Amino acid sequence: MVGEGWHRAAGQPHAEVEALASAGQRARGATVYVTLEPCCHHGRTPPCTEALIEAGVARVHYALSDPDPKVAGRGAAVLRQAGIEVREGPCEAEAAELNEGYLKHRRTGRPFVTLKLAVSWDGKVATRTGASKYLTGDKARRYVHRLRDEADAVMVGSGTVLADDPALTTRRRRGRDALRVIVDSRARTPVEAQVVSAESPAGCVIAVAASADTQKVNRLAGAGAEVWRCGVLGGRVDLEELLTRLGRRGILSVLCEGGPTLAAGLIERGLVDKFVLLVAPLVIGGAEAPTVVGGQGVAELGDALRLRFTKVRRLGPDVLLEAYPCSPD
């Protein structure tokens, strides 16, 4: 290993450029392994293909072809024309997981949606009186802050804001706050709510229905929130339209933290790309205690959404489960 690098942020040098700088003259004649096909166009940064050619590398192995139409095989062609040996693979699955936000955005224009849910052992998110802080332990909460740090946006429903008043920040000294998105059809979010009032460079978007009360909308906008009027589906904000607008803003990944109504809306529309479930060793009980996913639900088991579990591990006293939706077939 003579050099390594990674893409730290939009507008900063890509991984190839960082790795070449790390290697210096030792890059000449070397083999480069990269997760994504090197770019060959001028965007916020110069083409990585130019940097690889100028460095005199001998071979480039990339795990995945870039779905961006500006690249999509052209990066590999440019390198081959310069006499560099190019191969696609291995590690396609690992690279796809690492780049899942970017890949989803380039293919659909919408961000990759991760639905994070925290439940008791018996599937409750709160007691019958609404008490829900804190369901999981410190280690699980630190893990959630890391997920927020990695996401471009964090999304919750107005019910979560009214019940818990979360700040939705990383609360870590070195953490990067994500854009905070509140799905609030009736503009019920109080202007003093932490998502509006807490200082964060990330900002706050409140998505309301087109028919939301103008005075409430103006108060939220006056308090510093960015209010988006959205179309309505089933009496609530059209979540697909909201995600499309976030994609146009350049948001590649959204971490949705519930609650049950928002979770049901995303699942019913098939908008969840990944599930993260934190299970606490608690038994809450009670028919009136809210469960993790609201809505009507399915009538037959054959209509239930099926998941493919990919990760199970302990986080202190709690258990983390990660899963992806199975394809319809």
Side-chain angles (χ1 to χ4, degrees):
M1 182 78 72
V2 296
E4 58 184 336
W6 57 285
H7 187 202
R8 300 173 187 273
Q12 294 191 20
H14 286 185
E16 296 92 323
V17 175
E18 291 277 4
L20 292 172
S22 173
Q25 290 300 315
R26 293 177 296 175
R28 188 162 298 278
T31 300
V32 179
Y33 294 90
V34 64
T35 58
L36 202 63
E37 178 184 3
C39 65
C40 55
H41 65 285
H42 282 271
R44 297 183 186 182
T45 59
C48 290
T49 50
E50 286 187 3
L52 292 165
I53 293 168
E54 291 174 3
V57 303
R59 290 165 295 278
V60 173
H61 293 251
Y62 63 87
L64 286 175
S65 178
D66 192 331
D68 190 323
K70 297 176 182 177
V71 186
R74 297 179 184 178
V78 169
L79 295 174
R80 289 191 178 101
Q81 288 172 4
I84 297 174
E85 180 185 333
V86 181
R87 293 183 182 178
E88 183 175 353
C91 298
E92 295 92 338
E94 294 87 344
E97 181 177 358
L98 187 65
N99 291 284
E100 55 195 6
Y102 173 82
L103 296 173
K104 171 74 180 295
H105 185 268
R106 288 297 182 269
R107 288 166 179 161
T108 68
R110 295 198 302 270
F112 186 93
V113 177
T114 298
L115 178 58
K116 188 280 297 181
L117 302 166
V119 299
S120 63
W121 180 86
D122 55 339
K124 306 293 185 180
V125 295
T127 68
R128 58 182 172 80
T129 63
S132 61
K133 280 191 173 182
Y134 285 105
L135 200 62
T136 55
D138 289 341
K139 196 166 184 178
R141 291 198 293 275
R142 287 197 299 270
Y143 176 77
V144 172
H145 293 161
R146 196 185 87 190
L147 292 180
R148 293 177 185 173
D149 185 14
E150 295 172 350
D152 291 334
V154 178
M155 179 187 294
V156 299
S158 58
T160 298
V161 173
L162 293 171
D164 299 335
D165 190 23
L168 299 181
T169 59
T170 60
R171 295 203 295 273
R172 290 166 47 188
R173 184 167 53 184
R174 297 184 181 179
R176 177 188 62 85
D177 288 347
L179 175 69
R180 293 162 295 171
V181 180
I182 314 303
V183 183
D184 185 3
S185 300
R186 292 180 285 166
R188 297 187 299 163
T189 300
V191 293
E192 63 273 12
Q194 289 194 81
V195 290
V196 178
S197 61
E199 292 186 7
S200 173
C204 172
V205 167
I206 300 180
V208 304
S211 58
D213 184 273
T214 300
Q215 287 187 338
K216 292 181 179 180
V217 168
N218 290 341
R219 282 199 294 269
L220 288 168
E226 188 178 345
V227 184
W228 292 359
R229 287 190 182 271
C230 301
V232 175
L233 188 67
R236 301 182 184 277
V237 167
D238 185 336
L239 295 173
E240 191 165 355
E241 177 189 326
L242 173 58
L243 290 171
T244 298
R245 290 181 67 172
L246 289 170
R248 290 181 188 145
R249 186 175 172 136
I251 299 296
L252 304 188
S253 59
V254 173
L255 174 65
C256 179
E257 298 196 37
T261 302
L262 180 57
L266 290 166
I267 292 171
E268 288 168 3
R269 296 293 305 279
L271 298 174
V272 180
D273 299 297
K274 183 179 182 178
F275 290 83
V276 173
L277 185 67
L278 295 165
V279 183
L282 302 173
V283 177
I284 293 175
E288 296 180 6
T291 55
V292 66
V293 178
Q296 288 288 327
V298 298
E300 302 292 339
L301 283 178
D303 297 326
L305 174 65
R306 296 190 178 276
L307 306 178
R308 174 176 57 87
F309 288 107
T310 57
K311 182 184 294 184
V312 180
R313 69 184 178 104
R314 293 281 297 272
L315 290 174
D318 307 308
V319 175
L320 165 69
L321 302 172
E322 286 188 6
Y324 291 85
C326 293
S327 60
D329 57 354

